[in-house]
């Protein structure tokens, strides 16, 4: 079901563990009844970024996070806000999410827009620009954009919902992308999102990821500090 990259053409080298891992809890899993306390807890537990999953109920079968909802974060944090637009037409919302504090905006290569101009639009507004792909999309579809983005997000579940199981063949996409970035001399972030816990997070880091998005594992943890540390170990 998942088109793993071809085994020929590049060597599965045992990737060096990236120098430092960033942990980005996904707000999709937060309890919005007391968002202030949730943010304070996850930040004192060591979160580096906040990952905001935005869904339009067309590109993915769920609806999540308006710019106004993200805007509530502004008064609660000064951490880096990493916005993931799972949308057919992401460009329509870039300005609104910039207003709402986004520092990186990631769009999907499968979106219903000209990807290059959409990424350029984000960059021209002074933000980091990211590109993401669904599990069923071949990794080579990102090749044309690797030199223009600051971040690549490999979905390790079918986007739309938190709490799903990690799709292991996605590790080959990470290895392919890490070797492409290294051979191009690019220091872009390589991020994963979906089913990330201590075990899958380690596999992703060994395959070359250096930003781990995690929702249910972190927000449901008895001890969030220990859970975040387990993603860094
Ligand atoms: C899927 C979402 C989830 C979320 C993380 O569209 O993007 O991957 O961020 O959820 P968990 O960590 O619970 O799988
Ligand atoms: Zn996400």
């Amino acid at each position: 079901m998942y088109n793993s990259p071809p085994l020929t053409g590049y060597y599965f080298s045992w990737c060096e563990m990236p120098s430092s891992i960033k942990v980005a809890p996904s707000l999709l899993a937060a309890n919005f009844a007391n968002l202030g306390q949730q943010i304070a807890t996850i930040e004192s537990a060591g979160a580096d970024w906040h990952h905001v999953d935005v869904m339009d109920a067309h590109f993915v079968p769920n609806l999540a996070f308006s710019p106004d909802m993200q805007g509530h974060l502004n008064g609660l944090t000064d951490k880096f806000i990493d916005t993931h637009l799972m949308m057919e037409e992401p460009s329509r919302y870039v300005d609104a999410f910039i207003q709402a504090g986004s520092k990186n905006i990631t769009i999907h290569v499968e979106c219903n827009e000209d990807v290059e101009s959409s990424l350029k639009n984000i960059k021209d507004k002074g933000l980091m620009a990211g590109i993401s792909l669904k599990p069923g999309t071949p990794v080579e579809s990102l090749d044309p954009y690797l030199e223009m983005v600051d971040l690549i997000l490999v979905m390790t579940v079918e986007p739309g919902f938190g709490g799903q199981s990690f799709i292991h063949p996605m590790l080959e996409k990470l290895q392919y992308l890490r070797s492409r970035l290294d051979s191009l001399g690019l220091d872009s972030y390589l991020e994963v999102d979906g089913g990330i816990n201590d075990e899958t997070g380690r596999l992703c880091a060994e395959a070359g990821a250096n930003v781990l998005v995690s929702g249910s594992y972190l927000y449901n943890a008895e001890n969030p500090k220990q859970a975040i540390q387990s993603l860094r170990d």
Side-chain angles (χ1 to χ4, degrees):
M1 175 178 174
Y2 300 111
N3 308 308
S4 307
L7 294 182
T8 53
Y10 59 95
Y11 172 64
F12 277 171
S13 63
W14 183 259
C15 295
E16 283 299 308
M17 186 75 91
S19 50
S20 72
I21 295 287
K22 288 199 184 306
V23 175
S26 166
L27 275 157
L28 195 68
N31 170 359
F32 272 73
N34 47 5
L35 183 60
Q37 181 266 328
Q38 294 267 288
I39 295 289
T41 303
I42 211 79
E43 290 190 2
S44 58
D48 295 297
W49 295 359
H50 289 293
H51 184 81
V52 179
D53 283 308
V54 181
M55 304 178 190
D56 66 359
H58 293 282
F59 185 74
V60 292
N62 195 359
L63 191 58
F65 276 100
S66 66
D68 286 350
M69 279 185 74
Q70 180 179 295
H72 289 305
L73 282 179
N74 285 323
L76 299 170
T77 183
D78 54 11
K79 291 278 182 190
F80 186 93
I81 297 182
D82 169 34
T83 303
H84 175 196
L85 300 183
M86 290 166 268
M87 307 180 99
E88 289 290 356
E89 298 172 359
S91 297
R92 287 174 51 197
Y93 298 88
V94 165
D95 289 338
F97 277 104
I98 292 173
Q99 289 302 316
S102 298
K103 295 289 177 284
N104 172 71
I105 291 183
T106 294
I107 65 171
H108 270 259
V109 70
E110 308 95 346
C111 73
N112 204 9
E113 293 182 343
D114 177 277
V115 170
E116 186 167 340
S117 43
S118 301
L119 289 170
K120 192 175 173 324
N121 173 51
I122 296 168
K123 300 277 297 173
D124 289 350
K125 293 182 175 181
L127 264 71
M128 274 176 43
I131 187 86
S132 183
L133 75 172
K134 295 181 176 180
T137 302
V139 67
E140 296 81 5
S141 60
L142 299 189
D143 283 346
Y145 311 108
L146 296 183
E147 295 187 87
M148 68 182 293
V149 296
D150 306 287
L151 180 145
I152 298 156
L153 169 55
V154 175
M155 289 307 295
T156 43
V157 295
E158 203 57 45
F161 299 91
Q164 301 177 73
S165 308
F166 183 82
I167 301 171
H168 285 76
M170 299 301 110
L171 290 170
E172 293 175 13
K173 288 186 178 180
L174 287 172
Q175 289 169 333
Y176 173 84
L177 288 164
R178 178 48 66 198
S179 57
R180 292 282 295 134
L181 291 175
D182 290 352
S183 54
L184 292 167
L186 298 170
D187 62 356
S188 322
Y189 289 109
L190 187 51
E191 184 178 48
V192 285
D193 178 1
I196 300 298
N197 56 34
D198 50 338
E199 188 241 317
T200 56
R202 173 152 190 82
L203 294 173
C204 291
E206 286 167 358
N210 54 13
V211 184
L212 303 179
V213 173
S214 178
S216 35
Y217 176 65
L218 294 182
Y219 274 106
N220 299 342
E222 283 288 304
N223 183 329
K225 197 173 181 71
Q226 219 165 36
I228 287 184
Q229 191 51 45
S230 75
L231 295 182
R232 289 197 215 285
D233 290 347

